[in-house]
Amino acid sequence: MLLFVATLALLVGAFLALVLRGNPLRAGLAVTSQVIATALVLAEALPILFGAPPAELLLHWPAPLGDVRLQIEALDAFFLCFSLPMTLLGSIYALGYLKPYMASKRHVGAHFSLLNLTSLSFIIIYTVENSLAFLLGWELAALAAWLLVIWDYENQKIRFAGFNYLVSTHMSFLLLVAAFVIGTGASQTHDLSMMANFLAQDTFQRDVTFIVLMTSFGLKSAFFPFHTWLPRAHSAAPAHVSRADVRRHPQGRPVRDDQVHRHARPPARVDGLVRRRLLRPLRGDGRPLHGLAARHQAHARLLLHRERRHRRHRPRPRLPRPDLATPLLVVLGLTGCLLHILNHAIFKCLLFYAAGAIYRATHTIDLERLGGLRRVMPWTALFFLVGSLAISALPPFNGFVSEFIIYSGLVSEQVPTALDRGLLLAVMTLLAFVGAVSALAITRAFGIAFLGVPRDPACVAHEEAAAPMRFTMGVHLLGILAVAAVPLGAIGLARVPVADLLRAQGLAAPAPLLAAPAQAFAPVAWMCGGLLLVLVLVGLLRRAINRESEAHVTWGCGYTAATPRMQYTGASFASQFGNTFEGVLQYFKRFKLPQGFFPERASIGTHNVDGVENRMFHVLGTAAQTVTRLSERLPETTPHSFAAGFITLVLMVAFLIAGGSL
């Protein structure tokens, strides 16, 4: 199995990056090992993605792991085929991003060694069928990401961001362990494919396990409302580290006024332990959630990843046949989901890399201090602009392709009931609003950072991003254009994984049904191709014209005393939107009022805080005070205090070890 050789290559590269002398040699060997591992993974996974039989390998380990089964199916192959290549691109980007440290005494090899371990954790998480081995891969990914986030550990804010991430990810780990304890106890095996039978049973314990898994994955992937660690970690981590979360978190993070908009993964690192049976109804009434469930999976892909054909090992109980309209909606939803994950990984990584290039050139991520970067960094401006258009799902770029398929499922005429149609229309309205807000945020970020003139003389860029950084951003730009130019081919990448998922549910997967997403997009495919061609030609024509023109100052309508203070700021650009939703958003204001007849200085500053995090800490603080007051009412001289604590502990332990009768 080539995947085993790829694992050895990553381990050898990580080891050499730690022990050899010279930062350039350490980084070069680590990147070389990633090139080898990525080539081996693609050679193994690509044939499976396009219909070859699944690959399987059995490893015999001593207790407590025991036999560890590795398996690659079409859905695993889909994630492997872009996770490792994008980690490789991130390592190449790091060669330019960490260039100032290459000649220093700092051990840069440790950073690249951790990037190798990140790729290794992807392989483990996507392929192992053993719950204990999976937890090892999960913890390896968490610790490697934490150490990568705190690269600039001298900064107290970065240390706090790393600590916040570490606490959140280990809360997720503990919940995952609890779910595995319940599932392993019920199935009497550590094999994850066998645990799927427990998840298919219609019991209260199964439902609670599902909620525990959802909470665990939500904490890991920063899924709303568990996203509070993400803004700090993204702003603290190097750009090539932040992009790793693209595969985990499809909707990015909230935009802060003092940061470049660094929407970005994921990973698909949260690969979804919940088996294919969780695509069935939780209460077994035979009716899935139709298109709403399909769209929900686009935001919670943990319900999709690592679906296994374990019906080869154990007989499958039959459930009632779903509605005839369900297969079409599921195909549209799953295809849009998988393609949307791939698209997000492409354009969000590009935005992260562009933001990292800005930071490396200006040494700040404060939008209010930037401006005029397009003149000095034209390539970075182009990359950021295309990534911005793609993330806003504007035609003809790749984000539009996947969202069009998802919307096709939401507005499908085959939704069986009026209630379902109303729910899907409500979801579509909400998603349209989110898209509009995303476009507003991106317009604000690009305009403030790249247009106008520098707002702070201390934050002026003097050169374009380094060559490795531009190379990585260029590859992602080509990825965006490739999906936009050949959308039907990109849609076909999800064909085999979707077919496997349908068969796992006992549904037929005929060719006409699998071709439905391509047929839904076909009427607009030629329009998007023509629009893309026009945009490219206009860009080339404009570039040719600009070469023959002379540079001159921007016309100021006859006013010659303009200053940077007269430009829009990020806060002023978004003020109308903020005022509209003032009841939802929370602002902190800091100001110094003028005093005396001749005041020396006065200032006012506003900061938009995360409302969820702020309210969460408020609730936790109130709850702590309530518990304290209740505990004070219990006399210390009576056994009531001990009895209350003992009963609580017994109930918690009983819940964890109880049988399936709960």
Side-chain angles (χ1 to χ4, degrees):
M1 195 175 189
L2 297 179
L3 225 59
F4 186 72
V5 182
T7 299
L8 294 179
L10 290 173
L11 289 174
V12 171
F15 176 75
L16 294 177
L18 289 175
V19 301
L20 294 180
R21 288 180 172 271
N23 285 330
L25 179 61
R26 296 163 177 164
L29 288 176
V31 173
T32 301
S33 67
Q34 286 200 38
V35 171
I36 297 173
T38 301
L40 293 173
V41 168
L42 290 178
E44 183 83 52
L46 277 176
I48 300 174
L49 179 61
F50 290 105
E56 188 170 337
L57 177 67
L58 184 64
L59 301 178
H60 301 284
W61 290 87
L65 287 180
D67 292 341
V68 178
R69 186 164 57 90
L70 308 180
Q71 188 174 10
I72 306 178
E73 293 186 323
L75 195 59
D76 307 308
F78 177 84
F79 284 104
L80 285 171
C81 284
F82 75 85
S83 294
L84 266 74
M86 289 189 177
T87 305
L88 170 62
L89 290 173
S91 299
I92 296 174
Y93 180 93
L95 295 174
Y97 189 88
L98 300 179
K99 184 178 179 180
Y101 299 96
M102 289 296 181
S104 67
K105 295 182 179 180
R106 186 161 186 187
H107 199 305
V108 177
H111 192 87
F112 284 89
S113 178
L114 291 171
L115 290 173
N116 274 33
L117 294 181
T118 301
S119 293
L120 176 60
S121 69
F122 290 154
I123 295 177
I124 295 174
I125 291 174
Y126 293 152
T127 61
V128 296
E129 289 288 331
N130 185 288
S131 60
L132 295 179
F134 181 91
L135 290 174
L136 291 177
W138 185 280
E139 183 66 8
L140 177 63
L143 293 179
W146 170 61
L147 293 173
L148 289 169
V149 165
I150 59 172
W151 168 252
D152 293 321
Y153 59 87
E154 295 91 350
N155 189 316
Q156 189 273 336
K157 292 184 178 180
I158 291 179
R159 293 197 302 271
F160 177 76
F163 174 77
N164 196 357
Y165 165 75
L166 191 65
V167 171
S168 297
T169 192
H170 279 87
M171 289 175 61
S172 168
F173 180 79
L174 292 176
L175 290 171
L176 187 59
V177 170
F180 278 172
V181 167
I182 300 174
T184 301
S187 60
Q188 299 299 313
T189 178
H190 289 293
D191 195 306
L192 294 177
S193 62
M194 300 303 175
M195 289 172 59
N197 290 325
F198 159 70
L199 296 176
Q201 298 172 5
D202 186 15
T203 63
F204 174 75
Q205 189 181 25
R206 189 282 308 269
D207 295 343
V208 173
T209 304
F210 176 83
I211 295 174
V212 172
L213 286 172
M214 287 290 290
T215 307
S216 173
F217 297 153
L219 283 167
K220 182 68 173 180
S221 61
F223 197 77
F224 184 86
F226 308 108
H227 65 281
T228 55
W229 62 265
L230 195 67
R232 292 189 178 91
H234 274 331
S235 60
H240 56 280
V241 177
S242 294
R243 59 89 207 158
D245 287 328
V246 176
R247 295 180 299 278
R248 178 174 64 229
H249 187 60
Q251 289 302 321
R253 65 177 181 84
V255 181
R256 290 171 49 186
D257 287 336
D258 62 336
Q259 295 178 3
V260 173
H261 184 70
R262 298 173 66 182
H263 261 318
R265 206 121 150 318
R269 180 180 306 165
V270 174
D271 77 28
L273 296 175
V274 186
R275 290 310 197 228
R276 55 183 164 229
R277 295 180 182 272
L278 290 181
L279 297 177
R280 295 176 176 174
L282 286 180
R283 280 298 171 188
D285 62 353
R287 293 191 56 193
L289 297 180
H290 308 297
L292 181 59
R295 173 54 186 162
H296 177 69
Q297 289 157 14
H299 292 281
R301 54 201 179 284
L302 54 94
L303 296 180
L304 301 178
H305 186 52
R306 302 187 67 256
E307 304 295 334
R308 303 298 185 207
R309 294 189 182 106
H310 67 278
R311 60 176 177 268
R312 296 176 302 184
H313 307 286
R314 299 183 66 173
R316 175 188 306 276
R318 303 295 297 179
L319 291 183
R321 189 75 176 178
D323 295 335
L324 294 178
T326 299
L328 174 60
L329 300 181
V330 170
V331 168
L332 291 173
L334 293 180
T335 304
C337 164
L338 294 176
L339 186 58
H340 209 49
I341 295 171
L342 175 62
N343 288 336
H344 271 272
I346 296 174
F347 55 62
K348 284 190 175 180
C349 286
L350 178 58
L351 289 175
F352 266 121
Y353 292 142
I358 293 173
Y359 173 76
R360 183 53 64 200
T362 63
H363 304 288
T364 184
I365 56 174
D366 188 349
L367 275 178
E368 308 295 2
R369 302 176 65 187
L370 299 175
L373 294 178
R374 180 181 168 276
R375 295 180 176 86
V376 183
M377 308 175 71
W379 284 108
T380 302
L382 174 64
F383 297 142
F384 194 96
L385 177 61
V386 175
S388 301
L389 296 174
I391 198 175
S392 301
L394 296 177
F397 298 103
N398 60 339
F400 172 77
V401 179
S402 52
E403 289 211 4
F404 184 90
I405 297 174
I406 294 172
Y407 279 109
S408 298
L410 292 174
V411 299
S412 174
E413 296 180 354
Q414 299 192 36
V415 178
T417 66
L419 178 59
D420 292 334
R421 188 181 300 276
L423 290 174
L424 296 183
L425 290 178
V427 171
M428 184 181 66
T429 303
L430 178 61
L431 294 177
F433 172 76
V434 172
V437 174
S438 178
L440 176 66
I442 284 297
T443 304
R444 166 183 172 269
F446 181 84
I448 299 300
F450 290 98
L451 304 182
V453 296
R455 292 168 172 80
D456 189 340
C459 302
V460 177
H462 299 287
E463 60 180 356
E464 181 60 275
M469 301 166 72
R470 296 199 306 272
F471 170 80
T472 300
M473 291 187 284
V475 172
H476 280 268
L477 175 64
L478 292 178
I480 292 175
L481 297 180
V483 175
V486 194
L488 300 183
I491 294 172
L493 294 176
R495 185 184 183 95
V496 177
V498 171
D500 285 351
L501 292 173
L502 287 177
R503 297 187 186 104
Q505 304 306 309
L507 299 174
L513 179 63
L514 298 176
Q519 293 175 354
F521 192 79
V524 297
W526 295 107
M527 179 196 70
C528 290
L531 180 58
L532 179 63
L533 179 62
V534 170
L535 291 176
V536 172
L537 293 178
V538 170
L540 295 176
L541 179 62
R542 185 178 184 278
R543 182 177 178 83
I545 294 175
N546 286 344
R547 287 181 177 179
E548 302 177 358
S549 61
E550 297 181 0
H552 199 272
V553 297
T554 304
W555 182 51
C557 300
Y559 187 74
T560 59
T563 67
R565 290 173 56 87
M566 297 180 182
Q567 300 179 98
Y568 269 105
T569 63
S572 62
F573 184 90
S575 61
Q576 184 176 1
F577 177 83
N579 293 335
T580 303
F581 297 93
E582 186 176 5
V584 179
L585 302 176
Q586 295 187 4
Y587 289 91
F588 283 163
K589 294 183 179 181
R590 297 182 179 91
F591 52 86
K592 180 180 180 181
L593 299 178
Q595 297 179 355
F597 294 103
F598 302 99
E600 295 182 358
R601 186 177 182 181
S603 62
I604 182 172
T606 61
H607 178 60
N608 179 225
V609 299
D610 190 333
V612 173
E613 183 181 46
N614 193 48
R615 291 184 175 92
M616 180 181 66
F617 282 117
H618 175 73
V619 170
L620 291 176
T622 304
Q625 295 174 4
T626 302
V627 172
T628 301
R629 289 195 300 268
L630 292 175
S631 62
E632 290 175 350
R633 296 182 180 181
L634 295 176
E636 296 182 1
T637 57
T638 64
H640 295 165
S641 300
F642 175 79
F646 181 75
I647 292 174
T648 303
L649 179 62
V650 169
L651 290 176
M652 293 175 60
V653 174
F655 174 75
L656 290 177
I657 65 176
S661 60
L662 281 179

